[in-house]
Amino acid sequence: MVTFSAYNHFFFIGIAGTGMSAIAQYLRGIGKNVSGSDRLFTGEKMTIQTQLEDLGIKCYNQDGSGIDETIDVIVISTAIEDTNLELIKAKSLNIKVIKRSELLASISRTKRTISVGGTSGKSTTTAMIFHILNQCGKSPSLMSGAGLTALQKQGLIGNSYNGKSDWLVIEADESDGSIVNYTSEIALLLNMDRDHKEFSELIQLFETFRANTTHTFIVNQSHPMSKNLSLNSEYDFGVDTPNVGFNGTEFSQNGFTIRFKCNDTLVNLSAIGKHNMENALAAIAACHATGIDISDAARALSTYEGIYRRTQIVGKSDNKIVIDDFAHNPAEVVCAIKSCQNIGKRVIAWFQPHGYGPLKFMYKELIHEVLNVLRPNDLFILSDVYYAGGTVNKEITAEMVANELRRFTSNVLYFANKEDMIPYLDKNSKNGDVILTMGARDPYLPQFAQKILDAI
């Protein structure tokens, strides 16, 4: 078992990743010596590189130059392969190597940890919990998979924060199986959709997640698969489920604001989509388990500003709106499209699959869900898979998925190179359209969404 407090100098291979940078910032915030490298750190400095260095975290190109005998621990994610030259160098120097999830689990055991699990909505719910706790004076710490807008306005990366109390809010990731490592005082299960793993494996992972919870396990009872793991806690939540402790009703969306009732308390939230009502209900339930009244949680949520790349408004141009989202599995793609359908006369939804492995695993569900959600005037566009390297099976491609979709609808386009889509949108988008960009892993996507806005 990893005990992080025994070490002083941590080096992160792939430090620009959201999960890695969050822990790096947290460790620096408690006085540890932290450095790291990333394959993206070449040429002109990236914003995140500057932000990390401003915190006293030294950054290197991923060439081994930052690794020497002064380092106590090398931290890697599951994305780092055995052939990585820095990992090879670390092993040759007999430096201890641990996984990101092991380090986070070690940290979580020292705090009153609230862990957010589920196949969708983790970052948003984590952010909402942090915001409520912070607004209500509990001064929590945070490690998340996306930057909070409120923290980014302070010049921070936004996915990490060192609070003054023992409370810590984190995401518990099931995609790499690391969710079983976390010991939580309060844990949430938001949903369970077939994403990176089959249902049988997901159930086993979430059952262990539940077993490792020391106090309160909270379940979304309006989601059929997650409901099966409920312990019928008084803190369970759901939509139109009057038998649960936190029941959401009377949902409405007006532009970029949603409102609903949690039990008898009205909640107003700057967000879009019914899925964000579920996320907010989960956050309210978790915070109530720490002693915060529903009315105080609702008041705090009225000032919530959202997170990076979660149905984030890029801008408006001639009555057209560009929205960027992290959606990368069928359930998330559908939620993002539905949310935008409440705003635009037509939704032009572009999706870049985030890897060949994930696409092969989910393409049948993606086809089924997209066909069900598209309105007659909506448009769905695919571009080539974002490939970050490594040894992968490339037998299923985005073009193949687009061709299969076109067997059932003419409202599907394919642009191998996403840049080629921009002239099309410039020429064919209309007033009242919402252009939705979706995808994960590719660090260029926010700039790409801005490029679309500038063009139209």
Side-chain angles (χ1 to χ4, degrees), residues 46-230:
M46 300 174 63
T47 300
I48 189 172
Q49 185 176 355
T50 300
Q51 289 172 315
L52 289 169
E53 291 182 340
D54 286 346
L55 295 173
I57 298 173
K58 195 165 184 180
C59 296
Y60 299 87
N61 294 340
Q62 203 168 98
D63 57 7
S65 59
I67 297 177
D68 58 30
E69 294 85 350
T70 65
I71 294 168
D72 297 320
V73 177
I74 297 287
V75 185
I76 63 171
S77 71
T78 53
I80 302 300
E81 297 185 328
D82 290 339
T83 54
N84 179 281
L85 66 89
E86 291 199 313
L87 182 57
I88 292 171
K89 181 177 181 180
K91 289 179 177 178
S92 72
L93 294 173
N94 293 316
I95 301 173
K96 185 177 181 61
V97 177
I98 62 173
K99 292 182 178 178
R100 178 198 67 86
S101 58
E102 293 174 324
L103 179 55
L104 181 55
S106 176
I107 296 170
S108 73
R109 286 191 291 270
T110 69
K111 308 288 281 187
R112 301 184 69 184
T113 299
I114 302 173
S115 299
V116 182
T119 49
S120 303
K122 292 188 292 294
S123 295
T124 298
T125 304
T126 300
M128 288 179 177
I129 293 170
F130 171 81
H131 182 77
I132 294 170
L133 293 176
N134 209 35
Q135 291 294 304
C136 293
K138 289 193 178 287
S139 190
S141 294
L142 167 75
M143 281 180 273
S144 178
L148 278 68
T149 300
L151 295 179
Q152 290 176 331
K153 286 181 176 179
Q154 300 176 32
L156 303 172
I157 297 171
N159 59 342
S160 184
Y161 189 83
N162 292 86
K164 298 177 181 178
S165 75
D166 286 337
W167 287 109
L168 169 66
V169 191
I170 66 170
E171 291 183 39
D173 188 9
E174 85 294 334
S175 66
D176 60 1
S178 62
I179 192 170
V180 301
N181 296 324
Y182 305 118
T183 300
S184 316
E185 181 170 328
I186 300 169
L188 294 90
L189 177 55
L190 302 175
N191 41 51
M192 194 190 312
D193 291 299
R194 187 177 177 274
D195 183 7
H196 299 88
K197 300 181 182 298
E198 299 289 353
F199 280 120
S200 58
E201 189 173 357
L202 285 173
I203 290 169
Q204 290 181 350
L205 290 172
F206 288 129
E207 283 179 340
T208 303
F209 181 50
R210 180 181 65 186
N212 290 342
T213 303
T214 62
H215 192 270
T216 305
F217 188 72
I218 301 171
V219 167
N220 180 2
Q221 288 211 19
S222 59
H223 191 280
M225 290 300 292
S226 61
K227 181 179 179 180
N228 293 330
L229 273 73
S230 171

Side-chain angles (χ1 to χ4, degrees), residues 80 129 258 292 427:
I80 302 300
I129 293 170
I258 62 174
I292 295 174
K427 181 179 179 181

Side-chain angles (χ1 to χ4, degrees), residues 10 47-48 81 86 123 170 237 312 340 386 392 398 410 454:
F10 295 79
T47 300
I48 189 172
E81 297 185 328
E86 291 199 313
S123 295
I170 66 170
F237 66 97
Q312 184 176 35
C340 293
Y386 175 69
V392 294
S410 59
D454 295 341

Side-chain angles (χ1 to χ4, degrees), residues 326-388:
F326 189 71
H328 58 279
N329 66 39
E332 293 171 342
V333 167
V334 166
C335 282
I337 293 174
K338 283 182 176 179
S339 299
C340 293
Q341 286 172 337
N342 290 325
I343 301 168
K345 296 178 182 177
R346 177 175 69 157
V347 175
I348 302 176
W350 171 81
F351 178 53
Q352 176 180 263
H354 65 294
Y356 285 97
L359 182 61
K360 181 180 179 181
F361 186 80
M362 70 179 182
Y363 79 94
K364 292 180 181 178
E365 286 86 354
L366 180 67
I367 290 168
H368 174 76
E369 296 292 348
V370 167
L371 290 173
N372 280 340
V373 76
L374 287 184
R375 299 174 300 186
N377 62 328
D378 290 337
L379 192 62
F380 187 71
I381 304 175
L382 278 161
S383 291
D384 279 348
V385 169
Y386 175 69
Y387 176 56

Side-chain angles (χ1 to χ4, degrees), residues 305-317:
E305 298 183 69
I307 59 174
Y308 184 62
R309 297 203 65 231
R310 301 313 192 268
T311 50
Q312 184 176 35
I313 303 170
V314 180
K316 301 179 183 180
S317 175

